[in-house]
Amino acid sequence: MSTVSLTIDDQQVVATPGTNLVEAAKLAGVEVPHYCYHARLSVAGNCRMCLVSVGMPKRAPDGSFVRNAEGKPEIGYLPKLQIGCATTVAEGMVVKTRSPEVVKARQGVMEFLLINHPLDCPICDQAGECRLQEFATDYGRGESRFVELKVHKPKEVSLGPKVVLDNERCILCSRCERFMREVAKQDCLGFVKRGSKTELSCYPGNEPKTNYDLNIVDICPVGALTSRDFRFRMRPWFLKETRSVCPGCATGCNTTVWSRDREVFRLTPRDNDDVNQSWMCDYGRLNYRFINDPKRLRTPLLLTASQEQEPAAWDKALARTVSLLQGRDPQTIAIVGSARASTEELFLLRRLARKLGVTRLDSVMREAEGDGFLLSRDRNPNLRGATLMGIAAQPPGSRLNEIAEAIANGSVKVLFVLGEDVSRAGISSELLQTLEGLIVIDILPNATTAAAHVVLPGVSYAEKAGTFINERNRLQRFEAAVEPPGEARPEWMLLLGLLKALAEPGVASNFSELFRQLVAEFPELGVASFVQVGEQGVVLSAAAADAGPKSLPAPREGEHRAS
Amino acid sequence: MTFAPSIALQARIEKLISHYPRDRKRAAALWLCHLVQGEAGCLGTEQVEWIANQLDVPSIDIHELVSFYPMFSADSQGKFHLKVCRSISCSLAGCGRLVAALKEKLGIEVGETTADGLFHLSEFECLADCGAAPVAMVNDEHYGNLAPQSLLALIDELKAGDSKPALLPPLRKAHPKEKRLLLADLPEDAQPESLAAYRARGGYQALKKALGMTPAEVIDEVKKSGLRGRGGAGFPTGMKWSFVDKKSGKPVYLICNGDESEPGTFKDRVLLHQRPHLLLEGLAISAHAVGAHTAYIYVRGEFPKAVEILEGAIEQARANHLLGRDILGTGLDLEVYLHRGAGAYICGEETGLIESLEGKRAYPRIKPPFPAVSGLFACPTVVNNVETLCNIPMIIEQGGAWFSQLGVTGSTGTRMLCVSGRVKRPGYFEFEQGSLTLRELIFDVCGGLEEGRTLKGVIPGGTSMPILLPDQLDIRLDFDSIQKAGSLAGSGGIVVLDDQCDTVETTLNVAQFYAHESCGQCTPCREGTLWMEKVLHRIHRGRGRPEDVPLLLDIANNIDGKTICPLGEAAAWPVRALVTKYRAEFEQACAPGKAEQA
């Protein structure tokens, strides 16, 4: 039997064998409240919040169902309530999650959880996203019956460099302990003392120190574990949630960007079974402060006759860009496009190269040690996209030396850079100074922007929509969470403007159209629209996954010299 | 500074580690904690790290044991650690006076050490010698029937290096109503029965017979006997054995639960200290039945002498081919190892015991899976109580049918009962099940109450079982009769309360025990037990409020049936029963205005 039928709160549910009742109830749209249960961790069964009433059809000695007067099977309920997280579905099972008995049990558990819990919600960082608060609304009492002294425990305990523990708020659900042992593979958390005095603890000198520690803050259902990075900076209810993808490496963990006004406050993982489960690494999670950096480029900059960069209006900056690119022998132009750029931007860069007839193109590799789990060795989020679009050389980065030499020997005179500080990729500042034209799109000043004739301020991934293709050929989308600073524009937008200025025919007028053009040229992306990419992304068709990089097509007749 | 063990300790530790599977070295953690603490005087950072290193586990895995098991301590506990039992029977026998006398003499509070480092004073939960209440331990030595004066004299003797421990109270001559099978011919000097003596009265004949039978035949015989577990739940033993998954391809383990610690219960103490070979024979037969080649005897930490006695008995039995390899030339192998607990009541729960045997905090497991499918080291496991196992040899020798004729239907064989509290002659006894009434036990066998006292109630099966009232004295003492009366036979620990007992204080004492022993794993027990204790404490201090009576009942109801293991019920039932049955007393203690007056 590949499925099991059961009844949950009078609804018929079909589940796969082995499904527990918390998950099975979700199939019926029923929430079974819980604290310790987490779908990706072993079952601990300690919070007792998910108690439900479980019955099975009664059977006669011959194995047939005993039926009542109406002909329905009679149900024999287990004398004790069962925890949904540790009870698996069975054929014919009948589950009640809202009976008076169940509600009373939940109210009892809720009261027990709160008696020794400090009711310090006004100053608790978890307030607003606290499961105790949420279920207290459903199952809590109006007033406390507890008039005794609460148990006091250590507060503000350091659990390694990133996490702070308040033991009085801890409800001992053991999610963090299980996560560190089962997922982060550092057996470092444990419980000391016992009974109501039990405390979460780590051994001095063996604090959590993995690249995944902050996940325990996410999964802590209460305010016991807080992130040193985020705590006390903003109330969660003021934050806007935007679906995004981590740009930290080629894994492309699905994330939520939490922002208020123009500031990003934190990143958290978003569930995706095929990518990051429910987790993300701390390296990726803490990589957001650059978005709020006050040094962000806010206006286009043009190099003046006195060799100083001065702010300029967009039309002037684009005009200067066009003048630097147009009418040139394409062999004297080189393009470096970042594999951090979105697929759409790399697509537009591809069109720019084709328009100009430029064939010297490359991306910059970013490699560091991977961990075999979520942190990829490839620290570019879209190298697959840069390869597919023909921007990255094969192997990626292999033509950067050639470009540097071509600048040195004077054969390349204009360099167009999208989102890279090429001075750190083999094209030194000294070399950049020798160029007749250096056009740089970036978001923060660096040695390359400093040497540029034209600086066009782009935006971070959190300020625009786009897609990345991760290392497992999954096309994933991210959306704009915050407004860009100053006059900065999404790169796709300014590239569209540039192409239009270069009189490229059929330039899209908005993002949706751009995306449709992209998928029209690359049907292997497997979607017809940006919306279709969905919240979980799509895997590229096998052909695309298997195919090597597409080389740039030869410029069409008369096209290699933009007129 | 790192801990440096003596050569002897290092050798002992290596041997102990070899008693557990190579990839399960952590199981030796409790042993190592005991031994290292014995040598170093404490389990501080350097000791914890040394042990962790020996067992290839992170230090947190050892660190979290030290504060879980009451017998371990991160700080030095003085040269003499005075552990005064504070559980119900000792409380009824005036242990409070012992503690007061010690505090005065030594000039320290509970939990403190004298300035000279000689004495450390602790209150311990049940030391399982309730018939000799009040009792205390000094390090590993046990002392019963203490009075303030004798205890103070003991302090002087200890200083002078001369003290006389008493492991067991003397066994009285059998009462005519008794039927002694397990206790038959027990040496009166409270010494362990030797192998020779055991053999002289037919010992190990049953093992020989059993090894000639197939495991299925042995199980069948035990099923026929109707034997029910003597630990507390009364589950049929033969049926439990038949659940063992023998097809898993994994080794099967047999564990003897010698963690007797339910207040009022002290029956296994005598069997462990005086009947080592009876237990070993029962263990060997049972191992054959369930297909186990390794058996562990989990002995509660407060019985260090039993460990020594059993260690000697195992060596003797091995030397005589009664254990070890090729038992009695039959080709069957069974190694029996001892595992020492460290003072946690929760280890009496079989899955808590298994966790503890694996070297962890004794957090009971969620069932299913039951141990018969996945128990110790994730292998099929049977856990049987000491008394249960001691019944096995006679069942095999004389047949299940013979055994089933003893006692009454549903309660076959004999049962060890231990009586404590307010009776003239407390102690442990052995009766044919259902052969006498509670009234006969209290008034005939135990000599009744002290002059001028009247009976208030009787706890029939360890403190977790609901109390019975004086009008229920005529029930027969067997599983079903006690259940019909609204309680359970439990562990056989019978505690008698007379009219001088303060009900609130008694309830508080019981509640305090379960709050102290709650492992803290699951919410209702962790929070509810301590809450009940605090409410009772307040009522006892004279600050009760009328709403406290229904509150106590509600807390008990919110624990009952909601927890991972039966400790929830064990904590909820007695409070609910005491508050319900003596409600008037509670209402009086919580009368309006009471709190304001106090």
Side-chain angles (χ1 to χ4, degrees):
Chain A
M1 198 192 313
S2 58
T3 58
V4 170
S5 303
L6 68 160
T7 308
I8 299 178
D9 292 345
D10 301 322
Q11 292 188 63
Q12 288 297 313
V13 176
V14 177
T16 49
T19 306
N20 67 53
L21 295 184
V22 173
E23 297 296 336
K26 279 185 201 161
L27 299 175
V30 173
E31 183 190 34
V32 177
H34 57 267
Y35 294 103
C36 67
Y37 170 72
H38 191 287
R40 300 192 201 277
L41 300 174
S42 62
V43 169
N46 60 40
C47 78
R48 318 305 286 178
M49 194 63 188
C50 68
L51 287 166
V52 291
S53 179
V54 177
M56 289 296 292
K58 286 184 186 168
R59 285 179 188 274
D62 65 357
S64 66
F65 289 136
V66 178
R67 293 180 187 278
N68 62 17
E70 295 165 42
K72 289 183 180 164
E74 251 184 64
I75 305 301
Y77 287 92
L78 291 170
K80 286 186 187 179
L81 299 177
Q82 304 293 309
I83 45 172
C85 65
T87 309
T88 48
V89 294
E91 188 63 33
M93 183 182 266
V94 179
V95 181
K96 290 187 200 169
T97 81
R98 290 164 186 167
S99 67
E101 188 192 8
V102 171
V103 171
K104 171 91 168 72
R106 286 179 189 169
Q107 288 168 339
V109 172
M110 199 64 234
E111 183 177 36
F112 285 141
L113 284 171
L114 289 176
I115 55 171
N116 282 303
H117 190 86
L119 299 179
D120 61 351
C121 304
I123 55 146
C124 176
D125 219 45
Q126 190 83 359
E129 51 185 357
C130 172
R131 307 281 275 175
L132 272 184
Q133 283 184 332
E134 286 166 22
F135 296 134
T137 310
D138 300 335
Y139 302 102
R141 294 179 154 262
E143 61 186 71
S144 176
R145 296 194 291 178
F146 186 80
V147 297
E148 325 302 330
L149 286 176
K150 287 179 190 264
V151 174
H152 288 293
K153 298 180 184 178
K155 297 174 88 75
E156 225 183 318
V157 178
S158 181
L159 284 190
K162 292 172 272 190
V163 180
V164 181
L165 161 68
D166 182 324
N167 247 314
E168 290 187 344
R169 293 183 191 149
C170 175
I171 59 166
L172 304 167
C173 73
S174 81
R175 276 182 169 187
C176 54
E177 184 206 20
R178 285 175 280 147
F179 175 86
M180 290 307 295
R181 197 177 52 236
E182 294 166 15
V183 181
K185 313 286 185 199
Q186 188 195 354
D187 188 357
C188 60
L189 297 180
F191 292 107
V192 295
K193 304 190 180 170
R194 70 178 189 192
S196 188
K197 299 185 176 78
T198 307
E199 294 165 14
L200 177 68
S201 177
C202 61
Y203 194 77
N206 186 23
E207 290 87 4
K209 50 180 172 242
T210 73
N211 191 27
Y212 293 91
D213 299 350
L214 284 169
N215 289 288
I216 63 179
V217 174
D218 297 333
I219 60 176
C220 178
V222 298
L225 300 180
T226 48
S227 156
R228 227 183 262 288
D229 181 67
F230 176 70
R231 67 200 304 249
F232 306 134
R233 284 180 54 220
M234 186 53 65
R235 284 301 195 182
W237 54 81
F238 290 128
L239 296 176
K240 182 179 80 169
E241 296 170 57
T242 307
R243 282 185 292 266
S244 192
V245 173
C246 177
C249 79
T251 301
C253 290
N254 292 201
T255 61
T256 300
V257 175
W258 299 74
S259 61
R260 184 180 187 187
D261 298 335
R262 292 194 167 196
E263 193 175 351
V264 172
F265 282 85
R266 66 173 175 185
L267 307 178
T268 57
R270 193 158 52 85
D271 276 17
N272 191 326
D273 286 351
D274 297 320
V275 180
N276 56 306
Q277 301 164 26
S278 301
W279 324 119
M280 73 184 294
C281 79
D282 297 348
Y283 164 81
R285 184 193 296 261
L286 296 174
N287 177 28
Y288 69 89
R289 296 218 175 212
F290 70 93
I291 300 166
N292 308 329
D293 196 322
K295 294 197 293 291
R296 284 283 298 275
L297 298 169
R298 305 166 72 87
T299 60
L301 300 172
L302 291 181
L303 195 66
T304 62
S306 58
Q307 297 300 304
E308 277 180 35
Q309 289 178 337
E310 282 187 356
W314 270 105
D315 55 347
K316 285 193 176 162
L318 280 182
R320 174 73 79 83
T321 306
V322 169
S323 74
L324 285 172
L325 294 171
Q326 217 165 24
R328 236 174 231 288
D329 176 354
Q331 294 305 313
T332 65
I333 306 176
I335 295 177
V336 175
S338 178
R340 287 170 161 177
S342 73
T343 319
E344 298 73 27
E345 291 156 2
L346 292 161
F347 171 66
L348 290 174
L349 204 58
R350 168 192 175 84
R351 280 182 69 172
L352 177 70
R354 190 167 57 188
K355 177 75 185 170
L356 299 172
V358 174
T359 55
R360 276 203 180 93
L361 300 122
D362 206 350
S363 277
V364 175
M365 280 292 277
R366 280 189 177 74
E367 283 197 319
E369 205 181 330
D371 65 4
F373 183 38
L374 295 182
L375 184 60
S376 170
R377 181 185 155 77
D378 175 3
R379 299 292 161 83
N380 275 316
N382 200 20
L383 186 60
R384 189 79 191 86
T387 303
L388 190 64
M389 293 302 130
I391 305 299
Q394 285 309 305
S398 60
R399 291 192 77 181
L400 290 173
N401 273 345
E402 179 200 323
I403 292 172
E405 279 164 23
I407 296 170
N409 67 27
S411 53
V412 161
K413 295 183 164 55
V414 172
L415 182 62
F416 188 99
V417 180
L418 171 63
E420 289 289 358
D421 180 0
V422 293
S423 72
R424 298 167 66 178
I427 308 176
S428 67
S429 291
E430 292 71 31
L431 269 185
L432 295 174
Q433 302 287 347
T434 68
L435 286 163
E436 286 176 18
L438 174 59
I439 304 140
V440 182
I441 306 173
D442 217 321
I443 67 167
L444 279 161
N446 56 43
T448 302
T449 60
H453 299 85
V454 181
V455 177
L456 302 173
V459 305
S460 77
Y461 77 102
E463 292 149 339
K464 64 190 174 190
T467 62
F468 293 139
I469 302 171
N470 82 354
E471 63 187 350
R472 296 176 65 197
N473 293 301
R474 175 177 289 266
L475 180 72
Q476 306 195 100
R477 78 175 195 213
F478 50 88
E479 288 156 36
V482 290
E483 292 286 315
E487 294 168 37
R489 283 181 188 174
E491 286 80 344
W492 61 265
M493 200 185 280
L494 66 88
L495 284 168
L496 283 178
L498 180 58
L499 283 167
K500 210 176 253 176
L502 286 169
E504 163 84 350
V507 175
S509 58
N510 58 43
F511 185 82
S512 305
E513 196 184 340
L514 164 62
F515 194 81
R516 281 198 299 275
Q517 289 179 354
L518 167 68
V519 295
E521 193 167 334
F522 291 88
E524 58 266 55
L525 293 179
V527 287
S529 69
F530 187 63
V531 174
Q532 274 188 14
V533 179
E535 292 177 16
Q536 304 273 299
V538 289
V539 177
L540 269 55
S541 66
D546 295 343
K550 278 193 180 177
S551 58
L552 276 177
R556 272 169 277 174
E557 192 61 33
E559 209 182 40
H560 65 277
R561 219 162 278 207
S563 47
Chain B
M1 270 270 294
T2 52
F3 172 68
S6 65
I7 293 168
L9 181 67
Q10 183 74 56
R12 178 110 198 264
I13 282 172
E14 272 163 31
K15 191 172 175 207
L16 282 166
I17 290 175
S18 76
H19 292 174
Y20 304 93
R22 222 165 289 157
D23 57 342
R24 301 283 187 165
K25 278 165 86 172
R26 180 180 180 176
L30 267 66
W31 262 123
L32 265 64
C33 286
H34 272 299
L35 296 172
V36 169
Q37 179 170 280
E39 197 158 296
C42 64
L43 292 170
T45 310
E46 56 190 86
Q47 288 81 17
V48 164
E49 286 169 9
W50 186 85
I51 293 168
N53 194 35
Q54 297 293 304
L55 301 178
D56 302 326
V57 295
S59 297
I60 185 73
D61 290 357
I62 304 302
H63 180 61
E64 61 176 8
L65 303 180
V66 176
S67 55
F68 183 86
Y69 293 98
M71 295 184 74
F72 299 145
S73 173
D75 310 309
S76 171
Q77 307 273 277
K79 185 178 177 193
F80 299 109
H81 187 182
L82 310 173
K83 309 165 205 176
V84 181
C85 178
R86 59 154 301 279
S87 293
I88 187 162
S89 307
C90 286
S91 167
L92 291 170
C95 66
R97 291 199 301 276
L98 298 186
V99 174
L102 285 173
K103 285 205 277 197
E104 196 191 333
K105 179 166 177 93
L106 301 172
I108 53 172
E109 290 298 312
V110 172
E112 291 181 352
T113 309
T114 51
D116 58 7
L118 271 185
F119 296 100
H120 181 89
L121 178 60
S122 295
E123 286 181 328
F124 259 58
E125 292 294 354
C126 192
L127 298 177
D129 194 11
C130 321
V135 303
M137 287 182 81
V138 180
N139 297 342
D140 282 354
E141 303 294 345
H142 183 85
Y143 300 85
N145 291 313
L146 291 165
Q149 274 181 326
S150 61
L151 185 57
L152 296 185
L154 174 64
I155 296 295
D156 294 330
E157 287 165 15
L158 287 168
K159 279 186 183 166
D162 165 41
S163 70
K164 298 169 205 68
L167 272 179
L168 294 160
L171 178 65
R172 295 175 207 284
K173 281 209 165 56
H175 187 275
K177 286 197 160 64
E178 274 191 85
K179 184 171 183 75
R180 291 188 175 176
L181 298 177
L182 302 173
L183 298 179
D185 309 314
L186 203 65
E188 279 171 25
D189 56 2
Q191 288 304 304
E193 183 176 42
S194 68
L195 177 58
Y198 184 57
R199 281 190 137 167
R201 59 182 193 94
Y204 286 108
Q205 289 303 312
L207 176 61
K208 198 172 175 186
K209 184 175 172 186
L211 294 182
M213 299 159 68
T214 66
E217 286 167 348
V218 177
I219 294 178
D220 222 40
E221 212 57 48
V222 173
K223 277 186 176 169
K224 248 187 261 171
S225 76
L227 176 67
R228 288 169 68 173
R230 305 298 198 229
F235 195 82
T237 306
M239 199 189 293
K240 193 177 207 177
W241 289 0
S242 67
F243 292 154
V244 172
D245 181 1
K246 289 184 177 170
K247 295 190 187 111
S248 69
K250 295 177 183 173
V252 174
Y253 290 101
L254 175 63
I255 301 173
C256 168
N257 183 346
D259 193 61
E260 168 178 69
S261 32
E262 171 87 359
T265 313
F266 51 102
K267 65 189 181 63
D268 293 341
R269 170 183 283 272
V270 60
L271 296 173
L272 287 165
H273 287 89
Q274 287 199 263
R275 284 274 189 245
H277 286 289
L278 174 64
L279 176 60
L280 291 179
E281 186 179 14
L283 205 58
I285 296 168
S286 308
H288 172 52
V290 301
H293 299 293
T294 308
Y296 293 97
I297 307 177
Y298 188 108
V299 182
R300 70 173 304 194
E302 294 85 343
F303 290 174
K305 300 292 168 192
V307 172
E308 283 174 28
I309 290 163
L310 285 162
E311 264 172 1
I314 290 168
E315 279 315 303
Q316 267 188 311
R318 277 180 62 96
N320 287 276
H321 308 290
L322 300 163
L323 290 177
R325 298 202 149 248
D326 192 18
I327 297 171
L328 296 170
T330 59
L332 282 162
D333 302 333
L334 174 67
E335 291 299 345
V336 177
Y337 302 119
L338 290 158
H339 190 93
R340 195 179 166 196
Y345 166 76
I346 196 62
C347 298
E349 197 278 342
E350 63 179 5
T351 59
L353 182 147
I354 287 170
E355 287 284 305
S356 180
L357 219 158
E358 291 184 358
K360 303 172 188 163
R361 291 162 70 86
Y363 279 1
R365 297 177 180 174
I366 301 167
K367 287 150 279 197
F370 289 92
V373 176
S374 181
L376 183 63
F377 310 133
C379 296
T381 303
V382 171
V383 184
N384 284 139
N385 169 261
V386 171
E387 185 188 348
T388 312
L389 290 167
C390 287
N391 273 297
I392 301 298
M394 65 173 127
I395 290 172
I396 295 307
E397 206 172 351
Q398 308 195 54
W402 164 82
F403 190 89
S404 72
Q405 295 303 307
L406 295 167
V408 295
T409 310
S411 299
T412 58
T414 62
R415 182 93 208 248
M416 285 188 63
L417 296 178
C418 19
V419 185
S420 63
R422 298 283 170 81
V423 289
K424 278 187 188 156
R425 289 198 298 270
Y428 47 93
F429 310 92
E430 187 180 359
F431 303 99
E432 209 173 324
Q433 293 214 70
S435 68
L436 81 171
T437 63
L438 193 50
R439 184 184 304 281
E440 288 166 328
L441 176 68
I442 293 169
F443 290 94
D444 299 348
V445 179
C446 296
L449 313 182
E450 293 295 335
E451 292 311 314
R453 306 275 177 91
T454 55
L455 188 72
K456 177 164 218 161
V458 186
I459 297 169
T463 47
S464 60
M465 297 307 159
I467 193 164
L468 298 173
L469 294 178
D471 61 6
Q472 293 176 296
L473 285 188
D474 293 315
I475 59 163
R476 299 221 151 251
L477 292 171
D478 58 68
F479 285 109
D480 297 339
S481 302
I482 299 175
Q483 193 169 359
K484 257 182 239 155
S487 190
L488 288 170
S491 58
I494 292 168
V495 185
V496 179
L497 306 180
D498 67 18
D499 57 343
Q500 300 283 304
C501 299
D502 180 326
T503 309
V504 173
E505 189 176 318
T506 303
T507 312
L508 169 61
N509 183 285
V510 173
Q512 201 169 342
F513 174 84
Y514 293 104
H516 184 262
E517 298 302 333
S518 169
C519 75
Q521 186 184 197
C522 71
T523 310
C525 173
R526 177 181 70 233
E527 303 299 340
T529 53
L530 187 62
W531 191 5
M532 292 197 298
E533 182 196 326
K534 284 179 172 175
V535 172
L536 285 160
H537 223 283
R538 188 163 44 73
I539 298 172
H540 188 237
R541 285 201 318 270
R543 299 190 64 90
R545 310 161 306 157
E547 60 264 43
D548 289 331
V549 180
L551 177 62
L552 279 172
L553 293 174
D554 213 29
I555 299 172
N557 289 336
N558 285 343
I559 300 172
D560 185 9
K562 318 292 191 300
T563 54
I564 292 176
C565 84
L567 197 144
E569 281 85 69
W573 290 359
V575 172
R576 189 168 58 201
L578 285 157
V579 173
T580 306
K581 295 185 178 180
Y582 303 98
R583 187 159 183 143
E585 284 180 55
F586 278 92
E587 281 172 349
Q588 198 187 347
C590 298
K594 197 93 184 173
E596 285 71 29
Q597 284 164 26

